[in-house]
Each structure stands twice: as C-alpha cells, then as structure tokens.
Amino acid sequence: MDLESIPGVGEKTARALDALEEPERALRSGDVATIATAPGITQGRAARIARGAIRQEHDDPGGFLATDRAREVYRNVLALLQARTVTDYAAQRLETIYPSPRRSRIEEVQAFASDAVERDYDDDVLEALDGVEPLRQPGDVRVRERCLATTDAERYSEAREAIPELSVEVVEDAQGLAELARGYSTVFALDESFAGVTVEGDVQVRPDALENPAEVVPERPLAFFARNRDRLQAAVEVHQAAGLEPACDLEALEDGLARLDEDGTVAGDDELDRLTTAVDDLDAAASAAENVANDHLRQAIREQDVTIEGADLLSLVERGAGVDSLLSRELADEYAAAVEAARDHLVDAIDLDQGEAEIARRAFSDEPTFPVERDEAVVSRLREELTAAKERRAGRLKRDLAADLADQREDARQLVRDALELDVELAIARFSREFECTMPEFVAEDTSHSDADDAVGFAIEGGRSPLLDEPLEAIDPVDYEVSGVALLSGVNSGGKTSTLDLVASVVVLAHMGLPVPAERVRLRRFDDLHYHAKTQGTLDAGAFESTVREFADLAQGGEGSLVLVDELESITEPGASAKIIAGILEALSDNGATAVFVSHLAGEIREMADFAVTIDGIEAVGLVDGELEVNRSPVKDHLARSTPELIVEKLANEAGEPVAANGGEPPTGEAEPVFYDRLLEKFD
C-alpha cells in the first residue's frame, strides 16, 4: 500500500505510519487505536486516515453525502451508534464506517454487522468494557545496575544501537572488567575472549546478548506489560464475561500480570520482598540496634553493685571518664550481652539470612565503648551485599517472567483489540435491538433500468425514524415505496418531514452496511444522497439562482442519485415554484433518479409537469379533540387533503344542514352551514 496515496497523508505522516508494526493491517481494518500510536497522530485524525485508506481500497470517490442535510442525518445516526459505545476507541472506530456507493465496501461492513447483531451482552460485559483502553507504548526503559562490556569499538556501536537500555563500556582486559563489576550488579561481557576469566562480582560472558536482548534487558518486554497491566486485565475480564474465544491463554496471562507491579518490578516473591525491605530498613534497624545495646548498658550500670553508687557511676561514664577500662573491669559481661542483643536485633529486624547475618554481627564491635555505635563501614558493606543480592534476585525473576510473557505480547495486543472491537459490535447490536432493525436488501444492479412498474428506488415496511425524539413504542410505523420520482402531499404536522428523515436515515445506514430501523427494506444502491431541508423564508435573487443551478447540475447527472426535497416552493412565489419543481422532476425522471419532493403544491405541479408524476399522500383521518389523527404511511397515488379542508369539513359537520321556514331564508344563526359548504366546494 502506497501510504502517501491515501487522502490526507503526506510524506511526514507516511513516515510516522510506516513506523507501525503492521500499518497496512491497521489501515485496512480501521484500527484507530494502532494508527493513533504513530507519532503525532491523534485518534480523531487516525479515524480520518483510516477512512481515506478504506475509500482507496474500495475505489470509493467519496461525496455520497451530497448536501448539508444529508451530512447532518449521517452525523445524527452516527451519534446514536456512538452513544451506545463504552470506550472512546469504539466511538472513533465507528467513524470509519461511512455511507458508500461501492458494493464491496457495503458487503464488507454488512458481513461484520451481521455477526455483530448476534452478539449477546449484559451489564457485566459493559462494566468490564469500561476498563479497556488501547494499549500504550512502554516508553524509554533505562537500566542502571547492569552494563555491557566489550574490547571492540565496532561491537560497542552495535551494542548501543541494539540495547540502548544499558550502558555500554569499553574495557581493555580482565582488570577493566573487574573494575566494572565493582560498580554494577551485573556485567555482560560481549567478547568470547573473556570466557574462563574469573573476576569478583556477577560477570557473565554473553557473546549472543545482542541477538537476545530480552535475556539481558527483561525490562524491555516487561515494560509493555507493566504499563498496560490494568488494560490487559480489563480485556481478560471482557473475554471472560462475554465468553469470547481468547487469543492467548488467559490463565497464564493473568498469572504473569499478577507477578508484575505497575513499575515493572516483579511482585509476589517473598525473597525479593525480604531483600527489598532489608535494604530499605537497614539504617533504621541499625539505629534501633544501637538503642537496644545502650538501653541495656544503662540499665546494667544503674543496677551495678560497686563502691560507687550506680547513679554516680552513670554520671562518670556519660562524661567519658575511663569508659573502656571501667566497662572492661566492671561490666564486661553486661557489655557483651548488650552487644549481642544489638546484633540479634539487627539480624531479626530485617530478617537476614546466615551469610548476611555474619556481616551484620560485625557492625557492633566486641571492644567496650559507650555509647555503643555501629561500624558504618560494615553497615555499608552489608548494604552493598543486600543490594547486589536484591538486584540479582530481581534480575533472575525478571528474566523468568519476561520469558513467560514475551511470547504473549502479540496475543495480548490481539486480546485488547478483540475487546475493543467487541464494543464496536455491541454498539451496533444495541442500536439494532433498541430500534428493532433489520438488514436491508439491495435489489439487483439492473433493476433501476427496468420498467417503471418493476423498478425499485426504495421500499420501506414498518419503518420508524431514529431521528424522532420519541420512545420507539410511541412512533407509528411507516410503509413507503418509491420508484422513480414522486410528490409527497399531506397535512401540516402530518409527518411528511419525518418521512423524509426516515428515508434518509434508512438509506444512510444501508449504505454504511448497517441494519436499518424497519421490518423490511429493499432499495437500490445509490451513488449519492441529496437531501434538501425546508428553506426558512423566501430566498433572495442570488440564493434562488444558486439553488436552481444546484438542481440543474443534479438533473444533468442524476442517474443513481436519491433526491429528497422538503417544500422547495418556499424559495420563491408559489406559481413560479410549481413550474420550477415540475421542470426539475421532469429532468430527474428522464435521468433515472429516485426522488421525493414534499410539497403543498402537488396538484399544481402535476398540472405543470409533462409526464404523469406520482403523488403520494399522508392522509389525515380527521380531527380528534382538536388534534390531527393521521395515517403516517403515505397512500400511493393519492393527493392528501390539507389541514384547512379538514377543519372546514369538521365545522360543516358540526353545524348540520341549514333549515328554512316556509321556503324562506334560514333563521338567524343558521347561515353558517351554507358558508361552510361553499368553502368546501372550493377544495374540489
């Protein structure tokens, strides 16, 4: 795939996309999360790039939504779908599903949507999805307690590029290696020549280190899992709650994640915890051990039975008068006991093993002194030993855990992708069930060129507009079928505009490849949708000219178009409007377009047209308590009565027939029926 050929992708963006592990897969599948990991690309822009790539893949010229109102209908139905997502990813991913005239794209999404609507879901699944987010890049990893060593300058450069997480040092011989070992917990010698060399410290000869970086820097794979620990766990919970087939062994992944802290350190190892605590608490434990010894000696001195009173002796001792000799002569046993108590306290406080305890005990000298003080040199050595042991233990645990998790990295990515895609599928499933949708049927490609009686533009059975701000059960189902061009008449507030909205939303969703809100829908595959909303007020000359030009362009190339127009007569004077609309309908009919024009001038337009234009009517049954009772499904080939006609008819019926006395004039107050009857005659 030529990345720069994608609409909206320049050289810089192409380089950013090329840095992805699988750019073509991400672009073709609309994987917004992966695309957004490319440098400088947000999720919103990722969705736009994905749409461009999908259009290119299906040779889609774009422009299906040809008017502002058509685009508004798309945004509204898209918003309804997005409102049923849990994750931000799913909301962005749905933006890659757009209305297209291309059969290959429609069928591609239909296959996806057909599986999606079969998905079951419950509150547990939706709650689990709430924790799923696209995986994050681990960022830079830097390890300071280990290093690489080599004698070769070329090898040095290779090492810095292959394993940037570690320092790389150049040494001349084994002595240089030994010096490095004193400053690092582990040194990896890259040269085979160091094999068999014995130096103090943890030095490993690893000529293959650059080919197996995870073994010397397990932090590299672990950083990915550590940074995404909660997101991966949430994806596991989604798979468990939804019963999805996982891309990896969930139990093994959960076990690995349980052994890993968010900072990338290994969790749950008692020995590592012991060493970590010992290093952290060493200074505090040594100070506490000093206090134990000194408290013991103070108590012994107070209780000592010598010629000098205990209190006086204590005063002398605290002034340093002959402490060493005094303690040696009078309190040798007590001092030994105090030092032993201090040593025991230090060993027990930080839970030292036998080898560590031998060093710790030397922190308190057998030579009498008061107050008792630790030997800082010994404590420092103990700290170094504990730290080195901790790092060795942590390194081994990290290597073991990295070995367990490294092979699961791609499967873990797929696990999260599947969870995020489930949210997309469930949004479609929830929309489909809440609006009682069905998959539409596209008629054969050549149907539009058959006889008018057989041609199908669209046929909707039991449709309910999702754009109405009403509960579904409160919306009357609508049946409406149009072949060629038609005028739609009807009373005010009878549902003409809602019918156009229904047709537009059904056509938009069908060309997105998604289920539509109806019991059954058949339609042709349109090239574009032109939906013109009702104009507010008469247009000035310039705006009128622009509108007429727009319809002129449409009439010349309208084959394959669906044109929906709401009360175009409002653009100018009624008489002129009827003539203009009649001319537009003639041109659209000649070009094989499908069109529905809502108009209160349907009768006048029919008289002006030079062909038998179909007039459908949304018929009002009557007035009930001042409210229109309407049959919302348009009646074919029927000019619906207007609201004023219904009101006059109601008044005439209420007044009854006029009654005259002896053949004379009707009595006062009985002239109204004659008046209403005359008005009704004007509607004939």
Side-chain angles (χ1 to χ4, degrees):
M1 179 183 289
D2 181 4
L3 298 179
E4 288 191 49
S5 67
I6 298 172
V9 175
E11 181 181 354
K12 181 179 178 181
T13 302
R15 285 199 304 269
L17 293 172
D18 198 44
L20 299 174
E21 291 185 7
E22 298 177 280
E24 291 191 18
R25 180 206 61 78
L27 290 166
R28 287 195 172 99
S29 64
D31 186 353
V32 176
T34 297
I35 298 170
T37 61
I41 297 179
T42 63
Q43 278 205 354
R45 188 167 179 225
R48 293 193 294 273
I49 292 171
R51 282 198 300 272
I54 292 168
R55 283 199 171 102
Q56 182 188 62
E57 184 77 9
H58 294 276
D59 193 25
D60 184 346
F64 180 88
L65 303 168
T67 62
D68 289 342
R69 180 56 184 159
R71 287 184 284 271
E72 184 179 1
V73 169
Y74 165 65
R75 287 194 297 270
N76 288 340
V77 296
L78 178 63
L80 290 171
L81 287 159
Q82 291 175 320
R84 285 154 179 81
T85 62
V86 178
T87 64
D88 291 340
Y89 167 84
Q92 295 287 350
R93 169 76 168 84
L94 283 169
E95 292 193 6
T96 68
I97 301 177
Y98 62 92
S100 170
R102 292 296 188 237
R103 180 173 61 183
S104 59
R105 174 57 180 170
I106 294 171
E107 291 177 347
E108 181 179 71
V109 180
Q110 278 185 330
F112 172 76
S114 296
D115 291 337
V117 296
E118 299 299 323
R119 289 286 190 191
D120 290 325
Y121 58 89
D122 55 26
D123 290 342
D124 290 340
V125 175
L126 300 179
E127 184 177 348
L129 278 169
D130 193 41
V132 182
E133 296 180 63
L135 297 177
R136 298 177 293 182
Q137 293 293 90
D140 294 335
V141 176
R142 193 69 186 166
V143 180
R144 303 189 182 282
E145 70 272 9
R146 273 166 272 146
C147 76
L148 303 172
T150 180
T151 60
D152 183 79
E154 185 175 339
R155 188 75 161 156
Y156 169 85
S157 297
E158 293 175 0
R160 290 195 62 180
E161 183 176 349
I163 308 181
E165 297 90 345
L166 299 185
S167 294
V168 184
E169 307 287 348
V170 176
V171 296
E172 295 183 358
D173 49 29
Q175 182 178 352
L177 202 62
E179 291 176 358
L180 282 180
R182 285 194 287 272
Y184 291 94
S185 62
T186 303
V187 176
F188 296 101
L190 302 179
D191 304 334
E192 188 71 48
S193 59
F194 286 120
V197 172
T198 302
V199 296
E200 187 176 351
D202 185 12
V203 176
Q204 301 179 29
V205 180
R206 294 293 304 272
D208 63 340
L210 304 188
E211 289 74 41
N212 301 283
E215 295 184 11
V216 296
V217 194
E219 290 85 355
R220 180 185 291 182
L222 291 183
F224 165 80
F225 288 96
R227 190 168 191 198
N228 294 295
R229 185 172 177 271
D230 292 341
R231 300 172 188 222
L232 290 167
Q233 185 60 53
V236 170
E237 292 172 6
V238 167
H239 279 70
Q240 292 171 336
L244 295 180
E245 185 68 30
C248 61
D249 185 335
L250 296 185
E251 186 176 347
L253 179 59
E254 281 193 295
D255 177 68
L257 294 175
R259 293 155 56 194
L260 186 65
D261 276 335
E262 291 184 2
D263 61 357
T265 58
V266 178
D269 183 77
D270 292 341
E271 176 62 8
L272 181 59
D273 290 343
R274 181 190 73 80
L275 290 168
T276 301
T277 300
V279 172
D280 293 342
D281 295 349
L282 177 58
D283 286 336
S287 296
E290 287 179 344
N291 292 334
V292 167
N294 289 318
D295 289 345
H296 187 93
L297 281 178
R298 286 190 180 93
Q299 185 63 29
I301 292 171
R302 288 192 182 96
E303 296 174 355
Q304 185 66 32
D305 185 16
V306 293
T307 305
I308 303 174
E309 292 293 329
D312 294 335
L313 178 60
L314 179 60
S315 177
L316 288 171
V317 169
E318 288 179 341
R319 291 202 303 272
V323 172
D324 296 346
S325 59
L326 184 61
L327 290 175
S328 297
R329 187 181 70 247
E330 302 291 341
L331 299 169
D333 293 340
E334 287 77 2
Y335 182 83
V339 168
E340 190 63 24
R343 292 167 175 167
D344 290 343
H345 180 86
L346 179 57
V347 170
D348 294 340
I350 53 178
D351 192 20
L352 300 178
D353 66 18
Q354 183 175 352
E356 297 157 355
E358 290 180 2
I359 300 174
R361 289 183 175 280
R362 294 198 292 273
F364 295 97
S365 173
D366 291 329
E367 293 297 322
T369 183
F370 189 84
V372 177
E373 295 181 347
R374 61 183 180 270
D375 187 332
E376 284 294 349
V378 175
V379 173
S380 294
R381 183 186 171 190
L382 178 59
R383 183 182 297 105
E384 292 173 0
E385 290 289 332
L386 291 171
T387 300
K390 182 188 79 168
E391 297 299 341
R392 285 193 297 272
R393 180 76 178 182
R396 184 175 66 79
L397 291 172
K398 286 178 180 178
R399 287 191 292 274
D400 292 344
L401 182 54
D404 292 342
L405 289 175
D407 291 341
Q408 299 189 57
R409 181 165 178 163
E410 287 310 309
D411 289 342
R413 288 184 185 276
Q414 188 62 49
L415 191 79
V416 173
R417 281 199 294 263
D418 291 345
L420 291 170
E421 283 297 304
L422 176 66
D423 192 21
V424 181
E425 294 179 39
L426 292 187
I428 295 172
R430 294 166 71 186
F431 175 86
S432 180
R433 292 178 198 179
E434 290 174 31
F435 288 98
E436 298 180 1
C437 295
T438 187
M439 291 300 293
E441 307 166 34
F442 283 91
V443 298
E445 294 296 323
D446 60 349
T447 300
S448 60
H449 301 292
S450 61
D451 294 338
D453 291 339
D454 298 324
V456 175
F458 62 82
I460 300 172
E461 298 177 20
R464 291 181 171 90
S465 173
L467 305 184
L468 289 173
D469 190 18
E470 296 286 344
L472 188 67
E473 59 272 12
I475 301 174
D476 294 329
V478 171
D479 298 338
Y480 192 33
E481 177 177 345
V482 170
S483 302
V485 300
L487 288 164
L488 180 59
S489 63
V491 297
N492 289 330
S493 302
K496 299 186 298 298
T497 299
S498 297
T499 299
L500 289 188
D501 284 348
L502 170 64
V503 173
S505 58
V506 163
V507 169
V508 166
L509 284 164
H511 285 75
M512 292 170 74
L514 299 178
V516 297
E519 294 174 7
R520 185 187 180 197
V521 168
R522 293 181 300 121
L523 74 164
R524 64 172 294 182
R525 187 162 49 83
F526 295 108
D527 293 333
D528 43 43
L529 170 63
H530 298 258
Y531 186 0
H532 294 268
K534 187 185 303 183
T535 302
Q536 300 299 319
T538 302
L539 298 181
D540 60 30
F544 175 77
E545 179 181 344
S546 175
T547 302
V548 174
R549 284 181 180 275
E550 183 177 349
F551 278 102
D553 294 338
L554 177 59
Q556 290 176 4
E559 183 179 0
S561 296
L562 173 61
V563 185
L564 305 176
V565 182
D566 195 359
E567 295 189 21
L568 184 61
E569 61 262 28
S570 62
I571 67 173
T572 188
E573 296 85 354
S577 294
K579 297 174 183 177
I580 292 169
I581 294 172
I584 293 172
L585 291 176
E586 291 168 5
L588 292 175
S589 178
D590 290 343
N591 286 340
T594 302
V596 180
F597 277 56
V598 167
S599 179
H600 290 291
L601 304 176
E604 293 88 337
I605 295 169
R606 179 169 56 185
E607 292 177 2
M608 297 286 184
D610 64 1
F611 74 107
V613 59
T614 298
I615 298 179
D616 303 327
I618 296 179
E619 183 71 356
V621 178
L623 290 166
V624 179
D625 297 328
E627 297 290 334
L628 283 172
E629 185 175 340
V630 179
N631 177 8
R632 302 291 180 183
S633 295
V635 179
K636 298 300 295 180
D637 299 315
H638 175 74
L639 178 60
R641 294 183 297 171
S642 66
T643 304
E645 181 180 0
L646 289 169
I647 294 173
V648 173
E649 182 181 67
K650 175 178 179 290
L651 292 172
N653 290 335
E654 289 176 350
E657 294 299 326
V659 178
N662 300 321
E665 295 294 327
T668 304
E670 294 183 2
E672 292 88 345
V674 174
F675 174 75
Y676 298 142
D677 188 57
R678 287 174 178 171
L679 290 181
L680 281 174
E681 289 177 357
K682 302 297 183 183
F683 289 98
D684 292 336

